[in-house]
Each structure stands twice: as structure tokens, then as C-alpha cells.
Amino acid sequence: MYRLNIYIGSGAVLLALVGLFLWVPQDTGTGLIVRVRRQVSIGDALAPTIAFTLLAIGGALLLIEPRKRFDNEVTLAPFLHTGAIVSVIILSLFTMRYAGPGALLVAEGFGAAETEYRLVRETFPWKYIGYFFGGVTMIVGMASLSAGCLRARTVIIAVAATLILIMLVDVPFDDLLLPPNGDY
């Protein structure tokens, strides 16, 4: 089993290096970040660069993983864990999609002006509600599954991580819509 990890890890690192140093520079029209007339936007190379970097990190981790002895016995536990992870992802995406419009309906119930979510999706706080609650749900769910319990510390870390992602991804770019707001 360890030999398989070496093959997969080596292949992942090799693919990531080819992608980073050959494919991304040859195939993308812009750099990582583009500045045009004092407007900053995401360049064509940012997403594939992040993806290949994560692939290289994952491959390297497989290569340095210590040798372990594996049993050949198949149990139900990994399948249940995978099912729980898929459930957390579905719940998170559902929360991300419907938290913003749901919050607007609640606000209208308390006397806010009636409007469509599509018209306010680019304004504060509506542009962040779905992304924030969906992100926190995903991080808390995954971390709690890994730890086997829910802790207040996990929730605090999830809130902080989601806020940091919002600051890194949305705040510098004026024309970017966080998911799922581009769907409306």
C-alpha cells in the first residue's frame, strides 16, 4: 500500500509541476491578479495556480507519509464517514444558496423594504450572508466529523477562517460576487 502512495504522490507532484511551470504560463492570458485602470480583478492564472499548488502539497504529503501497516478487512465505517462528509457538503451548499434570500425574507417580515434578492446581492450585508453561513457550516461540519465532537473552539476557528476568506477573496475586488450570488 505504501508503494501505491509513492506512485500517486509522485504523479501528483509531477502533474502539479508541469501544470504550474508549463500549462499555466502557456495557456493563460493574464497573470494571477490584473490591474486595469485602478481596478483590481482576478487573473486567468489564479485558479489553476491555486489548484496545482494544492495538488503539489497533497502529493508531497503522500510521499512523506510514514509507512503504515494496513489490514485487508473492509468495514462499514469508512462508507459511513464518507456519507457524513457528503451530507455536510450538501447541507453547506444548501445553506450557502438559501441563507441570503431567507435572511431577506425575515428582514421583510420585520418591516424592511420589500425587494428581490437579486437587486441587493451586491450590497452589504446581503452579499456575505450565504457565503458566511455556508462556509461556517462546512468548516464546523468537517472539523467536527474529524474530531468526533463539536467544540466552541471549532466554531470560532470556522468563523475566523470564513471571515479571512471573505477579506482575501472579496474585499480587494470590486466586481467579484461571492458564491452563490452569481446565480441570481
Side-chain angles (χ1 to χ4, degrees):
M1 188 65 143
Y2 182 70
R3 185 171 291 161
L4 181 62
N5 283 354
I6 290 175
Y7 295 144
I8 294 172
S10 299
V13 169
L14 182 64
L15 178 65
L17 292 174
V18 167
L20 281 170
F21 295 108
L22 294 177
W23 180 71
V24 172
Q26 298 286 329
D27 195 44
T28 54
T30 63
L32 300 176
I33 296 175
V34 178
R35 289 182 184 92
V36 177
R37 296 184 186 140
R38 292 180 297 213
Q39 186 172 3
V40 179
S41 61
I42 294 174
D44 294 341
L46 184 64
T49 300
I50 290 171
F52 283 127
T53 302
L54 291 174
L55 182 65
I57 292 169
L61 288 174
L62 276 176
L63 290 173
I64 63 173
E65 181 182 29
R67 293 182 187 208
K68 297 178 184 175
R69 183 184 165 143
F70 291 96
D71 295 331
N72 291 333
E73 183 180 331
V74 177
T75 63
L76 190 59
F79 298 106
L80 293 175
H81 190 262
T82 301
I85 288 174
V86 169
S87 299
V88 165
I89 292 170
I90 290 170
L91 176 66
S92 305
L93 294 176
F94 183 82
T95 302
M96 188 176 283
R97 176 79 165 106
Y98 294 107
L104 184 62
L105 286 175
V106 171
E108 289 172 0
F110 282 103
E114 283 195 33
T115 185
E116 292 180 38
Y117 183 74
R118 185 176 54 83
L119 300 175
V120 297
R121 69 184 177 164
E122 295 182 33
T123 61
F124 180 83
W126 309 109
K127 69 189 285 185
Y128 300 118
I129 291 174
Y131 188 83
F132 176 78
F133 285 109
V136 169
T137 302
M138 187 174 292
I139 294 169
V140 167
M142 297 283 187
S144 297
L145 281 174
S146 295
C149 65
L150 176 63
R151 296 184 179 127
R153 179 177 152 217
T154 304
V155 176
I156 293 168
I157 291 170
V159 167
T162 305
L163 289 175
I164 288 169
L165 281 173
I166 287 172
M167 286 188 284
L168 289 175
V169 174
D170 182 65
V171 173
F173 306 106
D174 295 332
D175 60 346
L176 182 72
L177 286 176
L178 288 172
N181 293 330
D183 294 342
Y184 290 96

